[in-house]
Amino acid sequence: MTTSTTATAAGLLLGGQLHNSTSSDLARAREVIDRVVALGGNAVTATVSWHLVEPEEGVYDFSGVDPLVDMARERGLALTLLWFGAYKNAASTYAPRWVRADASRFPRAELGASSAGPGVFSRPGTPVLSVFSPELRAADRRAFEALTEHLASTGAAQADGGPLVMLQVENETGLLGAGRDHSAVANVAWAAQVPTTLTDWLAAHPDARGTAARLWREHGSRSAGTWAELFGEDAWAEETFMAAGFAAYCGELAAAGAERLDVTYYANAWLGPQPGQDLPGQYPSGGPVGGQVDVWRALAPALAFLGPDVYVDDVKTALAPYVRGDNALVVPESRLAVGNLFWAVGSGAVAFNVFGVDDVRTDGQLAAAYRLLGGAGEIIRAAQREGRVRPVLLESGESTVVELGGLRWTLRGSMDVLKAMFLDAGVAVRTEAAEAPSESVGDALVASPADTRAMAVLVDLGGDELLAVGQGLMFEVEGADGSLVEIDDAWEGAYVDGAWVAGRNLNGDERLNLLPPDSLGAVRLRVLRRG
């Protein structure tokens, strides 16, 4: 698979990921998949668990997999399946009992003298298998091969007329509690020679700025040596070592799957460093985090892309390391924050999933966003491919300047501008956004209010025309060369199945709120160049 194939056949994929355990209850899964349809999404992501697929070694049970494919097919949804194999959230709770019970054949990871200390997510007694175990990799690969062979035989892949477009290999890999695994099998790997595949990649990419590239140059850019010799012995060197282990492991599974099933294979990342998780081991050491993307690209070429799971507040910083020429931008999981969606799509994301779609209101802000962006999906995808799309996401009081289509747009939050204009003028104009309603249902584990930030996806339509989808923005424009221009015309509306359906022609007072302050909308702006 190449990154160019990702999601192109289905256009812009906007969907939801079921909670981890939902897929094991098919009646409940059916209800949640119907919720995705009600949201206006066109994609769904569901779990396949190793311990349920292979409860006894060599005995496979796909009775919980086929109905998920059928449900997606019946509802016209693109399907992504998550392989929860040996690793899920840096633990091995989805490995079968026969694997976890045999510590001699499948050794556990050991923390040794921890360089990170126990983090808030470290749970005593949680099984963590060593990624350096050849027996584990072989067993996990055989199960993954059996799964992909079965899916191919049933025509599940989109290439065969089915709904399946992607397979995630493992989930949020890495080691919690230490920079590296100190088990006997890991110590042997630590003392071994660094794979020439990695050093050759680093030598061929002198502009690389990831952790491995930095350490490698600091230690002399040598082509041969042990991990300590080529990268050092601090926590970042240990993370690089773990990244190589997990990348090789996941890459081997992806390559084996690709021989059997024609879909896109990828891996996702529990992000780090992040607030409260500053060192490898406080977040999973060795996962495909931003600093280790280079290692994963070098050692796991069968993975079409690496995707960030966004649960941090700063979506802009989270996505930045994944916006690169050798990596399609996809957000496999995000907390329920619509601003994350707008920033991702405007940055070029071809797919976006909100996590825990079971808990999302079907009449809220996310539903409105999916309908507006989904209706314009093909227009947005074409603009992404041609570099004609930009994101906007503003905190209170912020502004930004976006250059697009030979024009320079200054964008401010409309409530900020109205407050400055009318606060002391005695004019009865509302200068505060309405209170944000909840985006989640009443029994959701985590309550999620609607996102009140000013946001937009901007698309250059050509001919000095701009499409803006979002909320709460005021627009000012000039030529990119400083020439005088003005907004000539503005139509609110929406794309329905790719066709623009116009509403009001906005002029006069409505020019102060071209995108509504309290709800999402779309507007097409035409510019007049003066002189």
Side-chain angles (χ1 to χ4, degrees):
M1 292 295 144
T2 62
T3 56
S4 63
T5 66
T6 307
T8 52
L12 184 66
L13 297 183
L14 303 174
Q17 182 176 145
L18 278 60
H19 276 305
N20 298 157
S21 301
T22 300
S23 299
S24 63
D25 180 341
L26 293 175
R28 185 165 179 174
R30 186 173 291 106
E31 293 175 358
V32 179
I33 290 174
D34 286 341
R35 180 175 291 271
V36 175
V37 176
L39 272 168
N42 61 4
V44 66
T45 301
T47 299
V48 176
S49 304
W50 185 10
H51 73 299
L52 298 180
V53 163
E54 193 181 8
E56 299 178 37
E57 187 169 9
V59 178
Y60 300 104
D61 178 3
F62 300 110
S63 62
V65 179
D66 294 337
L68 298 174
V69 176
D70 292 339
M71 291 176 203
R73 192 196 313 265
E74 291 163 5
R75 288 151 181 80
L77 297 175
L79 175 65
T80 296
L81 291 176
L82 313 180
W83 175 243
F84 284 6
Y87 300 101
K88 197 288 184 187
N89 284 28
S92 301
T93 59
Y94 285 82
R97 177 187 177 92
W98 57 268
V99 171
R100 290 179 287 109
D102 193 346
S104 59
R105 184 180 171 194
F106 305 107
R108 303 291 179 97
E110 298 179 15
L111 301 184
S114 173
S115 60
V120 294
F121 293 99
S122 297
R123 294 169 292 170
T126 300
V128 182
L129 299 166
S130 176
V131 74
F132 300 99
S133 165
E135 285 272 7
L136 178 67
R137 187 189 298 193
D140 200 347
R141 184 186 65 241
R142 284 193 296 272
F144 194 67
E145 288 172 342
L147 171 65
T148 51
E149 284 178 356
H150 175 78
L151 291 167
S153 72
T154 59
Q158 188 180 68
D160 297 321
L164 184 65
V165 293
M166 292 189 282
L167 262 175
Q168 179 180 289
V169 184
E170 311 297 334
N171 176 269
E172 294 186 357
T173 55
L175 178 69
L176 283 172
R180 77 169 179 89
D181 180 0
H182 290 265
S183 66
V185 66
N187 286 339
V188 170
W190 173 255
Q193 295 287 297
V194 173
T196 56
T197 306
L198 178 55
T199 53
D200 288 348
W201 191 96
L202 293 171
H205 294 80
D207 295 331
R209 291 294 179 266
T211 301
R214 174 180 62 80
L215 293 173
W216 185 64
R217 293 178 190 127
E218 289 175 357
H219 289 81
S221 303
R222 289 178 288 172
S223 60
T226 66
W227 290 95
E229 289 168 343
L230 296 195
F231 297 99
E233 299 185 73
D234 64 8
W236 308 106
E238 293 180 334
E239 181 188 36
T240 301
F241 167 70
M242 294 302 298
F246 281 109
Y249 186 109
C250 294
E252 183 173 318
L253 266 65
E259 292 177 357
R260 294 159 175 81
L261 181 69
D262 184 15
V263 297
T264 296
Y265 296 83
Y266 73 95
N268 66 328
W270 173 335
L271 296 180
Q274 58 176 287
Q277 302 173 43
D278 302 306
L279 292 171
Q282 293 174 339
Y283 61 89
S285 180
V289 298
Q292 296 294 347
V293 169
D294 292 344
V295 174
W296 280 75
R297 297 314 302 156
L299 297 180
L303 295 172
F305 65 89
L306 309 169
D309 290 352
V310 184
Y311 296 97
V312 296
D313 292 334
D314 185 0
V315 63
K316 299 176 183 179
T317 300
L319 265 56
Y322 300 89
V323 181
R324 44 189 284 169
D326 61 354
N327 195 71
L329 183 60
V330 170
V331 179
E333 302 177 26
S334 172
R335 66 185 178 94
L336 186 47
V338 170
N340 289 3
L341 165 64
F342 276 82
W343 187 262
V345 171
S347 298
V350 299
F352 181 95
N353 276 305
V354 64
F355 177 74
V357 69
D358 318 45
D359 300 331
V360 180
R361 284 179 48 201
T362 58
D363 60 349
Q365 189 183 42
L366 183 71
Y370 276 5
R371 290 186 174 90
L372 285 167
L373 295 173
E378 291 302 325
I379 288 129
I380 292 171
R381 285 291 290 120
Q384 289 174 333
R385 287 189 288 268
E386 297 167 9
R388 296 184 286 106
V389 63
R390 298 289 186 275
V392 179
L393 183 60
L394 303 179
E395 303 293 338
S396 178
E398 288 185 339
S399 63
T400 192
V401 175
V402 173
E403 292 196 9
L404 188 61
L407 298 166
R408 182 181 294 118
W409 295 89
T410 299
L411 301 130
R412 298 180 175 85
S414 55
M415 289 294 98
D416 292 334
V417 176
L418 289 171
K419 186 181 297 184
M421 290 172 61
F422 295 113
L423 187 61
D424 297 319
V427 178
V429 174
R430 183 162 59 87
T431 59
E432 297 290 343
E435 183 178 354
S438 174
E439 276 289 279
S440 50
V441 296
D443 58 351
L445 181 62
V446 179
S448 300
D451 199 330
T452 60
R453 291 175 291 182
M455 64 185 76
V457 171
L458 306 180
V459 178
D460 170 28
L461 297 176
D464 285 341
E465 190 172 9
L466 179 81
L467 168 67
V469 182
Q471 72 179 18
L473 283 174
M474 187 172 288
F475 296 76
E476 298 175 18
V477 63
E478 63 180 346
D481 58 0
S483 58
L484 295 176
V485 299
E486 62 191 42
I487 294 176
D488 178 42
D489 216 357
W491 286 93
E492 69 178 3
Y495 282 91
V496 179
D497 297 327
W500 177 253
V501 178
R504 296 179 300 167
N505 181 258
L506 302 178
N507 211 323
D509 294 341
E510 279 71 37
R511 291 282 177 94
L512 296 174
N513 283 305
L514 289 172
L515 287 177
D518 303 324
S519 61
L520 295 169
V523 62
R524 286 176 58 159
L525 306 176
R526 189 176 64 199
V527 164
L528 171 67
R529 294 183 182 266
R530 295 164 55 189

